[in-house]
Amino acid sequence: MKKQFYIVPISIIAILFLCFTNSCDKARTATMTTDKKAEENKKEDLVSSDTVLKKSTLSIDTADYNKRIFALSNNDTSGRWPVKTVYPLPGSILPYNRIIAFYGNLYSKRMGILGELPKKEMLQKLQNEVAKWQSADASVKTIPALHYIAITAQSSHGKNNKHRLRMSFHQIDTVLSWAKSINALVFLDIQVGQSTINEEVPTLQKYLMMPNVHLGIDPEFSMKNGETPGTKIGTFSADDINDAIDFLTKIVRENKLPPKVLVVHRFTQRMLTNYKKIKIVPEVQVVINMDGFGDKILKKSTYKAYIYREPVQFTGFKLFYKNDTKTNRNGLFTPEELLKFTPKPIYIQYQ
């Protein structure tokens, strides 16, 4: 259980270069063709000319993308949000959709709502939450997801002395089947224990090659110095996260897939180090998910301290049906309350 984006206008050189490629028409559509229009839209340009030259990302509607990204920043005046970033490949989920996910493991009723309730009841509850969010923010399409812990940290060392247990493919297949019945995404979550990202993520390759399957990684249970999971809070560096990004990037490129979403859990400073070195690439969309439980004041301050102040790309927020309400008579944050946060979370997880 848990304890608790540029302004570099696209240069004339980039425009000329693009006009000599097969994507000239798309470049003219996505890039202003006169200096006057370019100046008018200077504040809405989110990528550098270098990025434009590297990737054919102009096949997306960049003006629409920019508008959505600025909306998520909730008029932040600090300069942190929106994060200076690259445009995603076509077919990206974010920022066009808000993901509402149910988290858990089918073997345990204590790890989250996904394994706590019977299938039919759980899926209906998820769809009810999706409807609430859609009603609260009609500007973004709201979609469901099942976030399944596919590799769990263990207090016992196990056969390979890694303090982690890989779930059977049969269990993952079951979650995929449930997700298909309501047209939901699937996230496979990894708690590495004393293992590593490079060792564990490839075991899920056949699933991550599926367009609707994405990845979650949990620093809390990454024990760098041989500790037993659960005895202290673990950590991931930017290097660890970049290992996951590199793997997902390779899968996207080799299989011509739309971008993958990578969810990284966080609720303390040390859980994620060197955040400025996390790679942001067109093939992967990174969500830093505020993963602590407690009362509303504590959760809001944690979000500001570790999510708002250390921007990566997109943000998420976890809600605990039980732990968030033990000492909070006002219940969970409502969609309307969370939409006032800066930035607005685009991924919401219920446990």
Side-chain angles (χ1 to χ4, degrees):
M1 298 299 296
K2 302 288 189 294
K3 300 172 181 171
Q4 264 254 131
F5 263 121
Y6 86 112
I7 302 177
V8 180
I10 299 175
S11 67
I12 295 176
I13 293 174
I15 297 173
L16 291 175
F17 177 88
L18 289 166
C19 287
F20 283 105
T21 69
N22 293 330
S23 301
C24 182
D25 290 339
K26 291 180 180 179
R28 288 197 184 100
T29 300
T31 310
M32 292 304 176
T33 58
T34 67
D35 291 338
K36 182 178 180 180
K37 288 183 178 180
E39 183 64 26
E40 289 174 353
N41 290 277
K42 184 176 181 181
K43 293 184 179 181
E44 294 184 358
D45 188 6
L46 299 180
V47 298
S48 69
S49 57
D50 288 340
T51 301
V52 175
L53 295 175
K54 287 179 181 178
K55 281 290 175 185
S56 58
T57 53
L58 291 180
S59 55
I60 69 168
D61 184 340
T62 55
D64 178 60
Y65 182 90
N66 294 350
K67 180 180 178 180
R68 291 175 181 274
I69 289 295
F70 275 104
L72 284 180
S73 74
N74 234 353
N75 299 312
D76 180 44
T77 59
S78 71
R80 292 183 176 91
W81 301 92
V83 180
K84 183 175 182 179
T85 185
V86 297
Y87 290 123
L89 294 178
S92 63
I93 294 173
L94 309 175
Y96 308 100
N97 303 274
R98 175 170 282 110
I99 304 168
I100 309 302
F102 269 15
Y103 173 97
N105 182 283
L106 300 188
Y107 286 118
S108 173
K109 293 186 177 182
R110 300 179 59 187
M111 295 180 73
I113 194 69
L114 177 53
E116 180 180 351
L117 298 180
K119 170 190 172 182
K120 185 177 180 179
E121 185 179 348
M122 182 272 296
L123 293 179
Q124 184 58 61
K125 187 177 182 68
L126 172 57
Q127 290 174 298
N128 290 342
E129 298 291 3
V130 169
K132 291 178 184 177
W133 277 93
Q134 190 64 80
S135 177
D137 185 4
S139 68
V140 180
K141 181 180 179 181
T142 306
I143 58 176
L146 298 180
H147 195 122
Y148 181 67
I149 313 169
I151 301 176
T152 66
Q154 301 288 308
S155 58
S156 60
H157 58 76
K159 294 180 180 179
N160 295 305
N161 204 35
K162 298 290 186 179
H163 285 266
R164 58 97 179 100
L165 180 63
R166 297 169 180 168
M167 300 296 103
S168 70
F169 285 170
H170 172 70
Q171 287 288 317
I172 298 175
D173 291 338
T174 297
V175 174
L176 285 168
S177 175
W178 291 5
K180 185 178 180 179
S181 70
I182 61 168
N183 196 29
L185 301 177
V186 171
F187 286 82
L188 299 181
D189 204 89
I190 296 177
Q191 301 172 354
V192 299
Q194 292 181 15
S195 186
T196 65
I197 289 293
N198 281 334
E199 186 173 347
E200 300 305 320
V201 174
T203 66
L204 301 173
Q205 179 170 350
K206 75 172 187 176
Y207 293 108
L208 293 171
M209 289 169 62
M210 300 176 182
N212 65 317
V213 178
H214 304 269
L215 181 64
I217 56 176
D218 197 342
E220 180 183 357
F221 301 103
S222 171
M223 317 316 326
K224 300 292 189 185
N225 300 307
E227 306 94 343
T228 300
T231 61
K232 66 174 296 184
I233 298 173
T235 183
F236 277 150
S237 68
D239 289 340
D240 295 310
I241 295 168
N242 288 339
D243 285 340
I245 291 172
D246 288 343
F247 188 87
L248 293 176
T249 297
K250 186 173 184 289
I251 285 182
V252 169
R253 290 176 178 174
E254 291 181 350
N255 297 278
K256 297 180 172 57
L257 297 171
K260 291 293 181 180
V261 178
L262 173 64
V263 173
V264 182
H265 305 286
R266 185 179 193 185
F267 59 88
T268 71
Q269 185 76 36
R270 291 293 301 166
M271 282 180 72
L272 196 167
T273 60
N274 298 322
Y275 77 96
K276 292 181 180 180
K277 294 184 178 181
I278 295 174
K279 296 178 182 179
I280 302 299
V281 297
E283 294 84 359
V284 182
Q285 301 192 287
V286 181
V287 175
I288 306 300
N289 183 42
M290 211 293 285
D291 198 12
F293 64 74
D295 62 40
K296 290 184 175 181
I297 295 176
L298 177 60
K299 290 175 72 79
K300 186 174 183 177
S301 64
T302 301
Y303 187 84
K304 184 174 182 179
Y306 309 131
I307 308 299
Y308 167 76
R309 289 179 180 167
E310 298 193 358
V312 177
Q313 191 175 23
F314 296 99
T315 69
F317 200 96
K318 179 181 273 192
L319 296 165
F320 293 75
Y321 281 117
K322 294 180 179 178
N323 290 342
D324 279 352
T325 58
K326 285 183 178 179
T327 60
N328 181 13
R329 296 179 180 179
N330 294 323
L332 301 177
F333 276 109
T334 66
E336 291 80 5
E337 288 174 326
L338 287 178
L339 288 170
K340 294 178 182 178
F341 278 34
T342 300
K344 299 177 185 177
I346 197 70
Y347 171 91
I348 306 298
Q349 187 178 86
Y350 289 88
Q351 180 169 334

